């Protein structure tokens, strides 16, 4: 923390602020731009969106009116002169003179392409689209290490904020028993955008986004991402997701032999109840003096103690990733192992010939699965579902497999996942370290 002072010092030393380029000027991107514009030592110099007027509008809402359009040479010149530019091509943005690219598209395919292009251009990249990270993040982390750039998921979402709590509990010497988040609505895995249309309208939400929350896909993605970032295991397939309150977290999430629900320690799960929108970690004091001190400090009876953060602030605190990357030289969150996948499960009986509509749609929901189990069963990751067409019928509630579909191999995320799977199977992709042909990847990213 304390990045403002150090970012200002960096600007004074180099004669210019950190130059940020942002891809995606929807609601989340617009909020992110407004927040960056409030930061010292940082400037959002380029915004890309398929609707270029939306990019201009987002900058103007942030109080930035000196906006330039043009070819890449004109855009680069404007940035070097201290101006701000807009364009309709996120990949072209990665070729401009920016220090860091931030992706806020919400589309896994776009996120994967922007991340790859940024890293191959030697630029740091931060994703808001965690769906891409849970699909191909381990490979992107390996590319980052080889390119010398930093790959990260942005601060502000539950996985990264829970990771920070995990690190805190580890740093004060407690055993991490469990980490997780709250889910604020009941789990209805057969929910669809159609069935939720009226509720979405009342809440002013995109029906597909609301559906991804209600059918549990977002929770499964976030907790699988947390498992991969921490090295913790899922409690089991689908996790438990018990009802719990802030006051009872440490009583519910402890080992069975001590009266809880956990078959083992060092795991990830989620709770329903008043815990949302917060994140939490259960730590165990393994020394009697530490146990006694924590109880004296009114942390509970122990030896299991709950550490709870009651909020996550999305784009408001996502700006912290700029300091972590540009000042500390560290990612906010990146996979350290591949512990979990999120498989595509049929919401209804699906028939051969149907093109799957993907996350938050009518066809599939996501289920968090131990990575070894998903690999053994050849289960299709939810992040690839929108690139899949069924070649045979799949019954409701069944995991869709690679054998059930053909994949659109013009999609960058499909190619990256195939490479990640191959490297994992060969045992050469461990914690983001692998020999990768960056030239070959450059061709994949240009598709």
């Amino acid at each position: 923390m304390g990045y403002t002072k150090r970012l200002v010092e960096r600007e004074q030393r180099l004669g210019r602020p950190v130059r940020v380029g942002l891809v995606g000027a929807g609601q989340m991107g617009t909020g992110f731009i407004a927040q960056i514009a409030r930061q010292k030592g940082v400037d959002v110099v380029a915004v890309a969106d398929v609707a270029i007027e939306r990019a201009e509008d987002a900058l103007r809402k942030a109080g930035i009116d000196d906006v330039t359009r043009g070819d890449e040479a004109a855009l680069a010149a404007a940035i070097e002169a201290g101006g701000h530019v807009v364009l309709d091509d996120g990949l072209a943005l990665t070729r401009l003179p920016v220090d860091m690219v931030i992706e806020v598209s919400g589309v896994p395919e776009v996120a994967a392409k922007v991340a790859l292009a940024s890293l191959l251009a030697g630029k740091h990249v931060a994703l808001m689209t965690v769906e891409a990270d849970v699909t191909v993040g381990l490979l992107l982390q390996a590319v980052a290490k080889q390119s010398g750039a930093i790959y990260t998921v942005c601060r502000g979402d539950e996985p990264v904020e829970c990771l920070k709590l995990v690190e805190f509990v580890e740093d004060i010497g407690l055993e991490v028993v469990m980490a997780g988040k709250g889910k604020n609505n009941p789990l209805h895995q057969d929910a669809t955008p159609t069935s939720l249309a009226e509720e979405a309208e009342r809440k002013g939400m995109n029906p597909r986004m609301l559906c991804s929350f209600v059918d549990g896909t977002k929770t499964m993605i976030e907790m699988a991402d947390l498992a991969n970032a921490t090295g913790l295991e899922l409690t089991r397939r689908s996790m438990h997701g018990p009802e719990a309150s802030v006051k009872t977290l440490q009583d519910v999430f402890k080992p069975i032999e001590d009266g809880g629900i956990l078959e083992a320690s060092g795991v990830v799960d989620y709770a329903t109840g008043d815990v949302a929108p917060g994140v939490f970690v259960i730590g165990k004091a393994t020394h009697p003096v530490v146990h006694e001190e924590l109880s004296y400090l009114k942390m509970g009876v122990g030896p299991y103690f709950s550490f709870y953060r009651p909020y996550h602030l999305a784009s408001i605190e996502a700006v912290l990733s700029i300091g972590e990357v540009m000042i500390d030289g560290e990612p906010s969150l990146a996979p350290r192992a591949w512990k979990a996948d999120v498989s595509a499960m049929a919401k209804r009986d699906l028939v051969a010939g149907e093109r799957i509509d993907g996350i938050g749609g009518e066809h599939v929901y996501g289920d968090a699965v131990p990575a070894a189990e998903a690999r053994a069963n050849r289960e299709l990751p939810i992040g690839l579902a929108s690139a899949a067409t069924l070649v045979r019928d799949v019954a409701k509630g069944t995991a869709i497999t690679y054998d059930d579909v053909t994949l659109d191999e013009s999609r960058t995320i499909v190619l990256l996942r195939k490479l990640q799977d191959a490297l994992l199977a060969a045992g050469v992709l461990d914690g983001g370290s692998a020999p990768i042909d960056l030239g070959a990847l450059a061709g994949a990213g240009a598709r």
Side-chain angles (χ1 to χ4, degrees):
M1 292 296 191
Y3 292 118
T4 299
K5 178 181 177 181
R6 287 181 284 169
L7 286 166
V8 169
E9 290 173 347
R10 179 191 180 281
E11 180 177 9
Q12 292 171 343
R13 185 172 66 253
L14 298 182
R16 65 168 180 82
V18 173
R19 293 173 178 163
V20 171
L22 186 139
V23 179
Q27 179 182 357
M28 188 72 71
T30 297
F32 206 153
I33 291 165
Q35 195 66 14
I36 295 173
R38 314 270 79 76
Q39 306 304 118
K40 297 178 180 178
V42 181
D43 192 9
V44 55
V45 300
V47 179
D49 194 281
V50 290
I52 196 167
E53 295 81 8
R54 191 161 56 193
E56 288 181 325
D57 186 56
L59 284 171
R60 291 197 173 104
K61 284 180 177 177
I64 299 170
D65 296 317
D66 60 326
V67 179
T68 298
R69 295 191 190 188
D71 60 23
E72 286 187 36
L75 298 180
I79 292 172
E80 295 287 6
H84 303 84
V85 307
V86 293
L87 62 165
D88 60 6
D89 184 348
L91 297 184
L93 183 145
T94 68
R95 298 190 291 269
L96 296 177
V98 299
D99 301 305
M100 183 173 179
V101 176
I102 298 175
E103 175 280 327
V104 202
S105 73
V107 180
E109 168 70 2
V110 173
K113 293 182 78 166
V114 168
L116 180 60
S118 299
L119 295 171
L120 294 177
K123 293 182 171 65
H124 308 310
V125 63
L127 303 189
M128 285 288 283
T129 305
V130 70
E131 292 85 351
D133 187 64
V134 83
T135 307
V136 294
L138 193 64
L139 179 66
L140 290 172
Q141 170 70 338
V143 174
K145 287 187 175 183
Q146 198 161 320
S147 71
I150 294 171
Y151 164 80
T152 188
V153 172
C154 285
R155 292 290 299 268
D157 209 354
E158 286 104 323
V160 65
E161 298 314 321
C162 195
L163 170 64
K164 299 306 173 186
L165 267 185
V166 168
E167 292 170 345
F168 171 77
V169 170
E170 289 176 335
D171 287 347
I172 63 173
L174 301 185
E175 175 191 339
V176 174
V177 174
M178 180 268 175
K181 61 162 278 184
K183 187 181 188 308
N184 61 4
N185 44 30
L187 184 64
H188 295 299
Q189 293 171 326
D190 57 356
T192 67
T194 301
S195 68
L196 296 170
E198 290 185 8
E199 181 180 350
E201 185 174 1
R202 288 197 308 271
K203 294 181 175 180
M205 291 182 69
N206 180 300
R208 289 188 66 133
M209 178 176 289
L210 177 60
C211 185
S212 71
F213 289 115
V214 175
D215 71 12
T217 299
K218 285 290 288 186
T219 291
M220 298 294 159
I221 286 171
E222 289 163 350
M223 294 299 90
D225 207 57
L226 177 63
N228 293 337
T230 58
L232 301 175
E233 305 282 352
L234 298 178
T235 48
R236 64 180 186 184
R237 185 181 187 120
S238 309
M239 299 175 285
H240 292 280
E243 185 172 346
S245 69
V246 173
K247 292 182 179 180
T248 63
L249 287 170
Q250 69 282 347
D251 301 318
V252 173
F253 291 106
K254 61 184 178 181
I256 291 173
E257 59 266 27
D258 291 328
I261 67 167
L262 301 181
E263 293 89 351
S265 291
V267 293
V268 167
D269 210 308
Y270 70 98
T272 57
D274 68 359
V275 181
V279 295
F280 63 95
V281 173
I282 306 303
K284 181 181 181 181
T286 57
H287 191 282
V289 174
V290 177
H291 180 175
E292 181 180 355
E293 184 69 9
L294 284 168
S295 296
Y296 172 76
L297 293 170
K298 304 188 184 305
M299 287 294 292
V301 175
Y304 300 99
F305 298 94
S306 172
F307 296 83
Y308 173 64
R309 188 184 199 250
Y311 55 84
H312 65 282
L313 301 181
S315 63
I316 299 299
E317 60 184 333
V319 293
L320 296 174
S321 288
I322 299 172
E324 289 176 347
V325 169
M326 298 301 304
I327 300 299
D328 293 342
E330 295 288 341
S332 303
L333 177 151
R336 57 185 287 187
W338 207 248
K339 294 291 185 176
D341 258 309
V342 182
S343 297
M345 309 289 293
K347 285 186 177 181
R348 60 168 171 79
D349 290 342
L350 301 175
V351 299
E354 286 192 274
R355 178 72 178 267
I356 300 175
D357 56 2
I359 295 170
E362 303 281 336
H363 297 152
V364 294
Y365 65 89
D367 190 22
V369 186
E373 180 181 343
R375 186 162 53 249
N377 295 337
R378 292 181 50 77
E379 296 179 24
L380 180 72
I382 190 81
L384 303 187
S386 64
T389 300
L390 289 162
V391 296
R392 59 190 183 191
D393 298 350
V394 177
K396 179 179 178 178
T398 302
I400 298 172
T401 72
Y402 283 106
D403 301 316
D404 296 324
V405 300
T406 57
L407 290 172
D408 178 359
E409 296 199 357
S410 69
R411 303 277 191 98
T412 296
I413 198 167
V414 171
L415 298 178
L416 294 181
R417 179 59 191 234
K418 287 182 68 174
L419 177 57
Q420 179 175 289
D421 286 344
L423 291 172
L424 279 168
V428 295
L429 190 60
D430 181 14
S433 178
I436 295 174
D437 183 346
L438 298 184
L441 281 179
R447 297 189 180 197

